[in-house]
Amino acid sequence: MAARRISSLLSRSLPLISSDGKKSYFGRRIYRYSTAAALEDPIKPPVTVEYDKLLINGRFVDAASGKTFKTLDPRTGEVIAHVAEGDAEDINRAVAAAREAFDVGPWPKMTAYERSKIMFRFADLVEKHNDEIAALESWDNGKPYEQSANIEIPKVVRIFRYYAGWADKIHGLTIPADGPHHVQTLHEPIGVAGQIVPWNFPLLLFAWKVGPALACGNTIVLKTAEQTPLSALLVSKLFHEAGLPPGVLNVVSGFGPTVGAALCSHMNVDKVAFTGSTETGKVIVELAAKSNLKPVTLELGGKSPFIVCEDADVDKAVELAHSALFFNQGQCCCAGSRTYVHEKVYDEFVEKAKARAMKRTVGDPFKSGTEQGPQIDAVQFKKILRYIRSGTESGANLEAGGDKLGTKGYYIQPTVFSNVKDDMLIAKEEIFGPVQSILKFKDLDEVIRRANNTQYGLAAGVFTQNLDTANTLMRALRAGTVWINCYDVFDAAIPFGGYKMSGNGREKGEYGLKNYLQVKAIVTTLKNPAWL
């Protein structure tokens, strides 16, 4: 869950490829796909755009400059809406509103229970408007509507209810001292939080950041991805219907070099949280350090290994590896994008992985049964094409896919490479698209060394029936999450974050609260204490 480039200072964005929609002529092979839906006229989304301005101090307002930008339908490349384009002046307005709401407004002075009730009411409203929100999310992003409606928006509701429950359970400690002193700690809100969410999971990552920040009593200035600004504006309106005071949550749409940079370098922003590319994360840390040394939490890129051991049930492993890579059009930071398969089952796995990819239904996100919609935009589309070309040119075997679908939009065939080597770009760099790279290994020591030989450390998957093998791998893999015989399990209570250049800090669960709290020690002298 960002786009993923410095010029966006924001989130994730990548590309697709080309063909006649039924056949792919790339390299030496021709493949057929279950892709009829991609060739039909786009289905009209069951939703309209009502909110396209900036949300500052509880009101929807135009950008100070009066400028707007286009948000596009990934199915066609056509304009959905013109959205207010914020800049540094709008960040100044939003930060001023958030600062006033924190310093003199009612939000941090409410009881934690009162804050939790507003968050619970908001979750109820999101649940009530589930289908409308899901339709807007899929229209702006291109992900299947059934995924948005049945998986992602319910998870948004669950996250907010989870953190609403935490609001009145945040407290400090009483600590014994080596003398006549009463010592206690207070866990206080950090202040104004700047948050930057990506385009691949716009609302889910909105929830991961906004939920814990509000539960702790902070106020927020949130920058949406320029590719997907619409759904955050809609749900923020629902937050105010739930009773959120003005200025507590401000939403500014725009671009990285203007809005993103202004937010990260603002002297009155007390903390920044960012999800997106590692490259952009470095820029954000630098901007934060050069301003007021504000703390930064980062959830960045990944090149996660998915390890299929020799004792695996191959049919189940193929399906799980397929989902681990192709879910959300491959646009997942934690996608299992390096599929390591033991040599004893490698050939069988490759044939079955190829067959599964060729059965994948690619088409209009609003058509029932669609598994894969279009990529986010033309930039991502072209980037994935370059990676696929790189794979064939470097000697990997193109088993399936390798081209675009249709003549409109950013659809791409599910692509599978075998005979992939660790030094190939498709095995080293984050493609962020529907491209599965299958590599062969001989033993555990080898696969541990190869899996860890990366700058990233976001996630990993292990598929085995042997408990000793699972225990060995879960401890040896240098990653923030290791899934055993499962993948992409994102319970509200499970922390998520990376090792190495995949970021720092954790989101979700109790750990996610720590990003938005600071600890104050209080020491009071005791006179004639009855006990120490």
Side-chain angles (χ1 to χ4, degrees), residues 471-497:
N471 283 330
T472 296
L473 288 170
M474 75 172 70
R475 286 165 172 77
L477 293 171
R478 298 282 298 161
T481 299
V482 179
W483 286 294
I484 308 293
N485 296 329
C486 61
Y487 210 86
D488 283 343
V489 177
F490 289 110
D491 189 275
I494 301 174
F496 184 77

Side-chain angles (χ1 to χ4, degrees), residues 1 159 204-210 212 299 490 496 507-508:
M1 279 262 185
I159 286 285
L204 200 55
L205 274 297
F206 173 99
W208 286 18
K209 289 174 171 55
V210 172
E299 192 265 279
F490 289 110
F496 184 77
E507 295 189 301
K508 298 194 294 107

Side-chain angles (χ1 to χ4, degrees), residues 1-2 8-11 193-198 205-206 209 220-226 256 259-261 263-264 272-276 280 284 297 299 507 516:
M1 279 262 185
S8 154
L9 233 184
L10 197 253
S11 44
Q195 301 179 331
I196 302 177
V197 295
L205 274 297
F206 173 99
K209 289 174 171 55
I220 298 167
V221 178
L222 182 136
K223 179 195 181 300
T224 56
E226 63 265 30
V259 173
L263 182 61
C264 295
V272 168
F274 169 76
T275 296
T280 303
I284 288 173
T297 54
E299 192 265 279
E507 295 189 301
Y516 298 99

